[in-house]
Amino acid sequence: MGFRICFFLLILTGASFCNGGITSSFLRKEAKSIDMPFDSDVFALPSGYNAPQQVHITQGDHVGRAVIVSWVTQNEPGSETVVYWAARSHRKHHATARVTIYKYYNYTSGFIHHCTIKHLKFDTKYYYEIGTRPTVRRFWFRTPPAVGPDVPYTFGLIGKPLSRIISIRKMTGICAGDLGQTYDSNLTLTHYEMNPVKGQAVLYVGDLSYADHYEFHDNRRWDTWGRFVERSTAFQPWIWTAGNHELDYEPSIGEKKPFKPFLHRYRTPFQASGSTDPLWYSIKRASAYIIVLSSYSAYGMYTPQYQWLWQELPKVNRSETPWLIVLMHSPWYNSNSYHYMEGETMRVMFEPWFVQYKVDLVFAGHVHAYERSERVSNIAYNIVNGECTPVHDQSAPVYITIGDGGNIEGLANNMTMPQPKYSAFREASFGHAMLEIKNRTHAYYGWHRNADGFAVRADSVTFFNRYWHPIDDSTTKN
Ligand SMILES: [Fe+2]
């Protein structure tokens, strides 16, 4: 009898600890992530005197009819002109860049050019040229279709010959955050490029170069990172989010202005969404409304970021952009011991709004692992009721941590145990994800680990839109 009672209690105890989803049992090779050396081929300078390098583009307005083209010249400012033309037109247009340089401790940057080209046609392939002959370099990009809930979207292939064009409906690619510039970073970017599902834009959730890993934040590592990712960033927009490794705040060497290298090198279209700071802003792209937040800027009540978000969320018209997506660096729902609870203060400030406005998806980085939550909220708490446990909430977003780009700090493989109820899938592997928005109701999502083949999805979900199709899309059965 006594044995039976003990056995029964054991079963109960076991059940109470089995509420979470999947902690992947995949075993990857344990190896340190090492930065690629300066003479790596992926960091090679383009040939020719003063040739433009570190070329990158991002969306330049609120709706996708403008593109910001950025590049660096090392020897002299060179040409400030971007020549661009639609692929099916011979009429060439010119736009002029602004040039900036910055100093960081004992480093002086090259000449950093930023040029916004405007009034582009939607869903059109453009070529653009930068530099001075004989070192003119030519690239191309494709503008998104006009903003709307069910617009077809055709993607070109990045990092491959132009002859291969893949036609897929409405899609936004997501590369991992926290990419860095190790051999693993290179593998992640290669997997993103070689994925048979082709992303047109990258939602980047912060921590770019990890230059601050080096003494005096060796800013030459900002340059190598710019050259490393150029094979993607020159051809499709990367939507930038600032992480803690963009702070570069180092008073001991006189560097007291946060985000100095990042803000000189990377532009965002913040003014188009009424923001007063490049670190938080929004864009519309096809059927998605994307809000970028700054985990490392003030967000308490009355602060500029708080005021902006408070005014921003009611502006989102789900009949125009059904998919409401938020990017930030520090995750709110993270069951890894690494950076545990760091996103908690921002969650307390903004989570009730995310539920009120039915945000579909929140992507974050920072933790060097992958995790996907169920739809949960934790907004019932007040100072006396003690209700501080996440609960399933179909008005809440799914939170995805994708800080597994492969940077020099390595993987975060110390998960809290047991797996929390809200955590649907988690794994400490490097990889990237793709989000395929099909229409106003459905989006396919897949996370790909670098250890697998290019087409393999280690975690895949069909998300249902919270506004148009708020059906339970949870994957954990309790
Ligand atoms: Fe981070």
Side-chain angles (χ1 to χ4, degrees), residues 195-262:
N195 192 322
V197 175
K198 294 302 163 195
Q200 188 197 12
V202 170
L203 305 180
Y204 193 83
V205 290
D207 283 357
L208 284 64
S209 74
Y210 288 76
D212 60 351
H213 183 81
Y214 292 90
E215 188 177 26
F216 310 132
H217 298 218
D218 187 349
N219 273 224
R220 294 177 302 164
R221 282 290 178 179
W222 274 104
D223 293 316
T224 52
W225 194 83
R227 295 198 290 273
F228 160 49
V229 295
E230 182 191 270
R231 70 196 205 221
S232 177
T233 58
F235 296 93
Q236 62 177 221
W238 285 38
I239 308 305
W240 301 111
T241 309
N244 53 304
H245 289 280
E246 277 67 74
L247 276 161
D248 284 309
Y249 174 68
E250 197 58 73
S252 64
I253 55 174
E255 294 299 342
K256 302 173 184 173
K257 190 170 170 50
F259 301 108
K260 187 203 277 186
F262 174 73

Side-chain angles (χ1 to χ4, degrees), residues 123 144-153 169-171 286-287 437-439:
D123 202 13
V147 171
D150 291 299
V151 186
Y153 203 1
R169 290 173 64 86
K170 297 168 70 62
M171 181 184 301
S287 56
I437 298 173
K438 296 296 182 183
N439 52 39

Side-chain angles (χ1 to χ4, degrees), residues 17 35 110 220 249 269 273 285 287 317 355 378 383 417 444:
F17 282 122
D35 269 1
R220 294 177 302 164
Y249 174 68
S273 56
R285 197 163 182 89
S287 56
N317 177 0
V355 175
N378 188 3
I383 200 72
M417 294 298 287
Y444 297 168

Side-chain angles (χ1 to χ4, degrees), residues 178 207 210 244-245 296 329 339 366:
D178 304 64
D207 283 357
Y210 288 76
N244 53 304
H245 289 280
Y296 306 100
H329 186 64
H339 298 315
H366 200 37

Side-chain angles (χ1 to χ4, degrees), residues 83-85 89-94 129 133 138:
V83 181
Y84 63 98
W85 64 97
S89 168
H90 296 295
R91 188 177 167 208
K92 295 193 173 180
H93 307 271
H94 298 76
E129 287 182 345
R133 297 196 185 285
R138 180 185 295 184

